[in-house]
Amino acid sequence: IAVQFADLHDRAGRMAAKGVIRKELRWAEARSFFYYRVKRRLAEEHLRKQMCLVDAEVGRQEQTELFAKWFALFDAQADYATDDKKVAMWFEENAEEVAQHLDSWKKDAEARKVAGQLSSVSDDAIVAALQSLSVKRREQLLAKLKQ
């Protein structure tokens, strides 16, 4: 009886019904499935690490939502959450586009960080900080502000 009880709990159908796995795998497709799953996860983790270097507070859920949003710009029909092969191929084939999205996100994150810091200091402190910059750098910032 114990063997039958354990066997009922370890079957793919039961695990899928409980939501532990997304779907049952056929043995013939397992190698391909796990290849693209690992390839996708490695690409995601690489991006996650780069994002955490800029903003350590960014959570996995927020990162995943950003990746899904960027992927939807490429293929709105595919499901980011479940289509590992398509997502892995997107990361690989569109590395430049992904890098552009990441750079844009980094600029926004840095801007939010600086704005948060500036909101809590006095105007005199901001002026003092700007005066400590080189003349050339101050002129560059003024030119950008005038745009």
Side-chain angles (χ1 to χ4, degrees):
I1 293 178
V3 171
Q4 290 175 336
F5 180 79
D7 196 33
L8 288 173
H9 287 80
D10 291 339
R11 292 286 184 194
R14 181 70 179 149
M15 291 169 60
K18 286 293 186 180
V20 178
I21 60 174
R22 285 189 256 167
K23 65 177 182 175
E24 294 182 44
L25 276 182
R26 290 189 22 221
W27 183 251
E29 300 166 355
R31 182 178 299 231
S32 174
F33 172 84
F34 285 113
Y35 171 79
Y36 286 109
R37 182 74 178 146
V38 169
K39 189 173 185 148
R40 172 207 177 136
R41 293 296 303 271
L42 287 172
E44 286 178 338
E45 290 304 315
H46 176 73
L47 284 179
R48 289 180 199 281
K49 285 181 182 178
Q50 290 181 357
M51 292 173 87
C52 285
L53 291 175
V54 174
D55 182 2
E57 300 296 317
V58 66
R60 290 186 71 82
Q61 183 65 33
E62 183 182 347
Q63 291 171 333
T64 302
E65 289 169 2
L66 272 171
F67 301 158
K69 180 180 158 189
W70 298 343
F71 179 71
L73 295 173
F74 170 74
D75 186 349
Q77 302 301 319
D79 184 12
Y80 181 82
T82 59
D83 199 341
D84 293 327
K85 182 176 181 177
K86 195 169 270 192
V87 173
M89 297 306 293
W90 172 72
F91 275 120
E92 184 177 335
E93 294 171 359
N94 299 286
E96 287 182 25
E97 181 182 334
V98 173
Q100 288 173 353
H101 286 301
L102 183 62
D103 287 341
S104 176
W105 178 86
K106 283 180 180 180
K107 288 176 188 172
D108 291 344
E110 289 170 345
R112 285 190 304 272
K113 188 185 297 185
V114 170
Q117 291 171 343
L118 289 177
S119 67
S120 64
V121 297
S122 68
D123 291 347
D124 292 336
I126 294 171
V127 170
L130 291 174
Q131 287 175 342
S132 70
L133 298 174
S134 69
V135 174
K136 182 179 179 182
R137 182 69 177 133
R138 280 196 309 251
E139 289 173 355
Q140 289 173 342
L141 287 173
L142 284 172
K144 288 225 180 229
L145 287 172
K146 289 178 182 178
Q147 290 178 352

